[in-house]
Amino acid sequence: MEYIAQHRNSEASNPEIQIASGDTQPTIIIDESESTGASGNEIRLKIDEFYLQEKNPSFTSSNNDNNSVSLAWRNLSYTVMNSKTKQKTNIVQDVSGVVKPGEVMAIMGPSGSGKSTLLDLLAGRKEPKLTSGEIYLNGRPGQVKYVSTYVMQEDALMGVLTVRENIQFAADLCFPSSYSAKERKARVRAIITEFGLDRVADSKIGTVFVRGVSGGEKRRASIATQVLTLPKIIFLDEPTSGLDSAASYNVMKAIVQMARNYKLTVIASIHQPSTETYSLFDKLCILGRGRTLYMGKREKAIAYFQELGHVVPPYSNPADHFLYLINSDFMTDKTRAEEYITNFIVSFEKSDANKLLQEEIKSLIERHKEDTDTRIISSSTTTRYQLSFFKQTSILLKRSFINSMRNILVFWVRVILYVALGLLIGTTYWRIGYDQINIMERFSGEYFSVAFLSFMSIAGIPGFLEERLVFQRERGNGFYSVGPFVLANTIISFPFIFIISLSFTAVIYPTVGLHNGGKHVILFVVYLFLCLNVAEGMVVFIASLVPIFIASLALTAFANGFWMVFGGYLVRPHSIAKGWKWAHYIDYQKYAFEAILSNDLKGLDFNCERLTDPSPDRMYNCYYGDKSGRSATFPGEAVLEELGYTNIRPALWAVILIAMTFVFRLAFFAVLRFKKNHN
Ligand SMILES: Nc1ncnc2c1ncn2[C@@H]1O[C@H](COP(=O)(O)OP(=O)(O)OP(=O)(O)O)[C@@H](O)[C@H]1O
């Protein structure tokens, strides 16, 4: 059933949302002008909720928590084995807790206390073999990952896109196709308002070249893109890290408000919240050495520690005080430090707070024992992705296109570099002509074009790494699969690489004075284009394998250095040592270089040197071809033959270059598909 929202400004007297049921398309009629104090945004929110519930029952509402999910866990442990000592270490041990819909819990503790590990455990992101304990969704064992979203610490946004565009693309990717463009836009508007981003909605996120929104706004935008679908449980890994206290407060406030409005269950690991941020939490889980030092209501924590004899001094931040209190890392006496923390652990185990917690978990399980409603556990598992492969690819293509057009780092920096370099080469070689002494210059120019242009594909690494981070986040949240991303990335590179090849050729070809004629110019562009596609494929493959900027830069530079050695110019094919011949045959630069060489030299005649003291039998000195001294010229073919570039088959070489592009793109797919992410 479809619903259409209509805004009517004058006639309706009832400010409430009305549903005018028709036969097929009931219409929501809204009067914004005479609302009873509800702002346009509030009305919009109501429409959005309405849409979300009608279209997908897994979306929750502020007034209806039927679909909300409580999360409880009991005796959760994570144990790793030290590969050297073969000893087991509990990173997290016997941790229990419960968070109900609408509540926000903070996991706090000193560095290394196990906050991230616990968050990952709860989110189902840890190796099950190393995990023990139980996790309950609404009191029943269930798969958390199907009803939750994990918000990573790093902002994963496209810098050249505006806040709204980033969120809109996420909405286009994560909502099912039964949502109209208008509905998705409405949801985007609503979440922008919820996260207080209206003022900067049309500002770019920012890049190294363009100053964008503030760190806090960027963090809010990043979170907004990940919670658009109102997942029932939200995990946030250090959502305020790197932000000042005001920005941290605003980020947390937006999250808390959303949790309240939509009855979402929220768990966030947090380092050192300010007093204001701390006061936003409903519950606290304080960890020390992987054990629970306190788990319960935030407002009862002060009294709890007071009972243990640790009074929070007046006017001090309770969070700071607790963290200071439980930090034994800097105690010089290790036995005393151990005892000190053990006291906190034992005190909590024996505490009323713990008894209350255990009873709460028990009663939650009891209450849902007879529950036969499996909707929560199974609702999101029926279809893995909301959109078809084709739709996913087309949206990603559109976003990649905008990113490539606007982000100078992706392609344009290469266009500028190549044109500048083309001008440099062109003006240096300036019309090299057809004398035999110029032959090696042709070789050098053509080799340089292939090798340097391929090498400079590394300029695309920063842009790709940014895109990969967004991909990783969106794939993690189940927006789309690897195939559409790889396909979109591949397709979008073609026109830009073509522009690069064309612009370089346009500059270099006439200035250097390569083989004249339309066919030769076109073939030069084609070979360069095919070569750069392989180079680009190799860059994305390496950068996805090692997604660390400096490391992928170094690896790609090494790989290109390797190909340069075996490309057939620095060492001619027949001179390459036997043991390295294989490298020559798998070197894409060989195929491009030889095809370009053949395109230039074949069909050209070069002038031999006229002797200063000619005799009737010997008038010329020819480096190649007929060396009898009677011929004034020799063909380009003779040069190739004598220098060992025999058996060049340009059409086959072109096919090999296409195949190599395919292989690298396939490897790129395999890496994204099968490599485990550790960041
Ligand atoms: N797989 C593992 N093998 C060995 N040690 C581990 C493993 N995972 C985590 N640890 C160790 O367990 C401890 C807890 O790690 P965790 O990252 O959960 O702490 P944290 O409280 O989030 O720390 P921080 O606040 O500094 O990020 C650390 O000392 C860490 O080095």
Side-chain angles (χ1 to χ4, degrees), residues 78 80-82 89-92 108-120 126 130 153 237-238 269-271 287 290:
Y78 184 70
V80 295
M81 173 93 83
N82 187 313
T89 313
N90 285 317
I91 307 289
V92 166
M108 283 171 41
S111 187
S113 58
K115 300 181 293 294
S116 304
T117 308
L118 177 61
L119 195 76
D120 287 354
K126 284 285 183 204
L130 307 175
Q153 202 178 109
D237 183 20
E238 305 272 1
S269 65
I270 198 145
H271 239 103
L287 294 179

Side-chain angles (χ1 to χ4, degrees), residues 512-532:
V512 173
L514 298 175
H515 200 149
N516 241 331
K519 184 186 134 203
H520 294 284
V521 177
I522 291 168
L523 282 175
F524 187 90
V525 177
V526 169
Y527 297 140
L528 206 55
F529 170 71
L530 295 179
C531 172
L532 293 185

Side-chain angles (χ1 to χ4, degrees), residues 305-331:
F305 282 99
Q306 195 165 336
E307 265 179 38
L308 298 184
H310 303 289
V311 179
V312 177
Y315 309 115
S316 68
N317 176 358
D320 276 350
H321 184 72
F322 297 149
L323 290 176
Y324 169 76
L325 199 63
I326 60 172
N327 197 336
S328 63
D329 289 353
F330 300 102
M331 287 185 175

